[in-house]
Amino acid sequence: MITKDSIETAYSFLHQKRNVYIHSRLGWQKDDIEVSIADYADSMNKELYDTIAGGRPDFLRDHKRFGEDITLAVELLEKML
């Protein structure tokens, strides 16, 4: 079951991290954000993750697609609010 609280929490966390990520010029900072988001994805509401991941098991965990994934996740969560 996806609760409003789980959506709000995920949105707040991912939105904040995305904003730092897209404006950062520091490689180590971007790497740290990717790691923290991957850890968060492992612990978030499974049904919510599956919904925003669209069936991709590597969603928010693929270094090459991370920028696209986090932007998509924030957009989807915002629509769910």
Side-chain angles (χ1 to χ4, degrees), residues 1-3 6-7 40-41 43-50:
M1 177 176 167
I2 301 174
T3 65
S6 66
I7 296 168
Y40 180 76
S43 67
M44 73 186 292
N45 177 300
K46 174 136 176 58
E47 189 176 344
L48 178 58
Y49 176 80
D50 290 344

Side-chain angles (χ1 to χ4, degrees), residues 1-71:
M1 177 176 167
I2 301 174
T3 65
K4 184 154 180 84
D5 286 344
S6 66
I7 296 168
E8 290 172 348
T9 300
Y11 174 78
S12 295
F13 184 70
L14 295 177
H15 183 267
Q16 176 193 34
K17 296 296 185 188
R18 181 191 62 100
N19 285 346
V20 174
Y21 185 86
I22 63 174
H23 296 298
S24 179
R25 296 176 193 253
L26 305 172
W28 64 264
Q29 187 177 41
K30 287 185 166 199
D31 290 343
D32 285 355
I33 291 170
E34 289 184 36
V35 169
S36 70
I37 296 297
D39 287 345
Y40 180 76
D42 289 340
S43 67
M44 73 186 292
N45 177 300
K46 174 136 176 58
E47 189 176 344
L48 178 58
Y49 176 80
D50 290 344
T51 299
I52 65 173
R56 283 191 38 230
D58 64 344
F59 187 72
L60 296 172
R61 296 178 176 98
D62 181 352
H63 174 72
K64 293 177 186 170
R65 293 186 57 161
F66 183 80
E68 297 169 41
D69 286 353
I70 194 165
T71 297

